[in-house]
Amino acid sequence: MKINKLLVLAVLSAFGLTANAQTKGPQKNDFNVALTLGYNSSVMGTAVDGTLPSHSIAAKSTNWNDKELSVGFEGGWFFLDEWKLVLGGGMNISKQPGSVAVPGSNDMPNLGGDMMYDNWGDVPTYNAIEDENFVQFNVYTGVDRYFKTKVDGLYVYAGARIGYAYGRNISFTDDENNMGKSIGEAFNIRGALTGGVDYYFTDAFFIGAQVDPFAYTYNSNLIKPQAGLRNMQAKSHNFGILAAPTIKIGFKF
């Protein structure tokens, strides 16, 4: 009798393990969070010196090959068994307080005729320090369709992404040689088709790789050197094929 009970328990355990193996991976209402290593979509505008007699500007590069690898986070929600809503991004705000200029005593005229005025011992001039602030953020969202494979825990997916990145620098210098506030802004708008593979080592832990078969990015870069002047703008369009490869390490819960 005891042997029969043991056999029954063994069979039930085997069925339980098989069921767990078959359901390993994402299911409806699951969430996942992943650490990503890949293309950096951030952009930053740069304020220029408003006292320059002329200005030039160029569009920011949107070629993913020109970017450095960046670590980021990505979240996902499986609103259906094989459909996932994706959201990622980040934000940074920085402030660099400035200070007014402090004139010294070495600005006196040359009283020695052809002789250079001796500045040794004079109080030095402290030039003004720019007051600057920076705002930078990027956000993207998309939808992925997952497909099971014959390999337990291995899923492939295809989807689409749309993203926006923005960066602004405002600079203000309080002295007689500057023209007040200067602004630099830049932004990217990006759309992409994407595809990848996730492998679930356990029901909760996975690694993945992703690449964009096709991506389009629009960039706008502009400056306003002085208050009252119109913006000076440069634009660019970028088309990428097999762009922005990304590696993911994540958890499902």
Side-chain angles (χ1 to χ4, degrees), residues 161-233:
R161 299 282 187 277
I162 184 169
Y164 179 77
Y166 175 80
R168 184 191 68 200
N169 170 214
I170 298 178
S171 176
F172 180 83
T173 306
D174 185 13
D175 66 12
E176 70 277 6
N177 297 320
N178 286 276
M179 305 296 292
K181 183 168 65 175
S182 174
I183 302 174
E185 290 182 295
F187 68 85
N188 291 338
I189 299 175
R190 187 174 190 269
L193 301 177
T194 191
V197 57
D198 287 346
Y199 180 72
Y200 283 79
F201 287 92
T202 69
D203 190 48
F205 173 71
F206 71 93
I207 62 171
Q210 177 181 298
V211 69
D212 296 338
F214 176 79
Y216 166 74
T217 305
Y218 169 79
N219 170 258
S220 173
N221 184 29
L222 60 88
I223 58 173
K224 181 182 287 186
Q226 302 174 23
L229 296 182
R230 69 178 180 87
N231 294 334
M232 185 178 186
Q233 186 177 27

Side-chain angles (χ1 to χ4, degrees), residues 36-153:
T36 63
L37 178 64
Y39 165 74
N40 179 6
S41 62
S42 298
V43 68
M44 173 56 74
T46 304
V48 298
D49 187 349
T51 61
L52 296 176
S54 63
H55 295 282
S56 62
I57 188 174
K60 302 288 186 178
S61 174
T62 51
N63 181 357
W64 69 270
N65 283 294
D66 294 338
K67 303 288 186 174
E68 296 181 354
L69 290 177
S70 175
V71 177
F73 289 93
E74 179 181 280
W77 170 49
F78 286 87
F79 58 94
L80 294 173
D81 283 345
E82 296 172 347
W83 289 88
K84 182 174 75 169
L85 179 65
V86 178
L87 181 65
M91 185 173 188
N92 178 68
I93 300 175
S94 299
K95 171 70 174 177
Q96 298 178 8
S99 64
V100 298
V102 179
S105 61
N106 57 357
D107 293 332
M108 295 176 61
N110 186 354
L111 302 178
D114 294 334
M115 300 293 295
M116 294 297 294
Y117 184 73
D118 186 5
N119 291 326
W120 288 99
D122 285 338
V123 177
T125 296
Y126 284 17
N127 294 323
I129 298 176
E130 294 177 333
D131 187 289
E132 293 190 277
N133 64 68
F134 301 85
V135 174
Q136 185 179 37
F137 70 86
N138 69 89
V139 62
Y140 66 89
T141 186
V143 175
D144 292 334
R145 170 67 162 92
Y146 274 68
F147 302 90
K148 295 180 180 179
T149 69
K150 295 181 180 180
V151 179
D152 180 34

Side-chain angles (χ1 to χ4, degrees), residues 1-11:
M1 193 68 178
K2 291 183 178 179
I3 295 176
N4 290 336
K5 289 182 178 180
L6 292 175
L7 289 174
V8 171
L9 289 175
V11 171

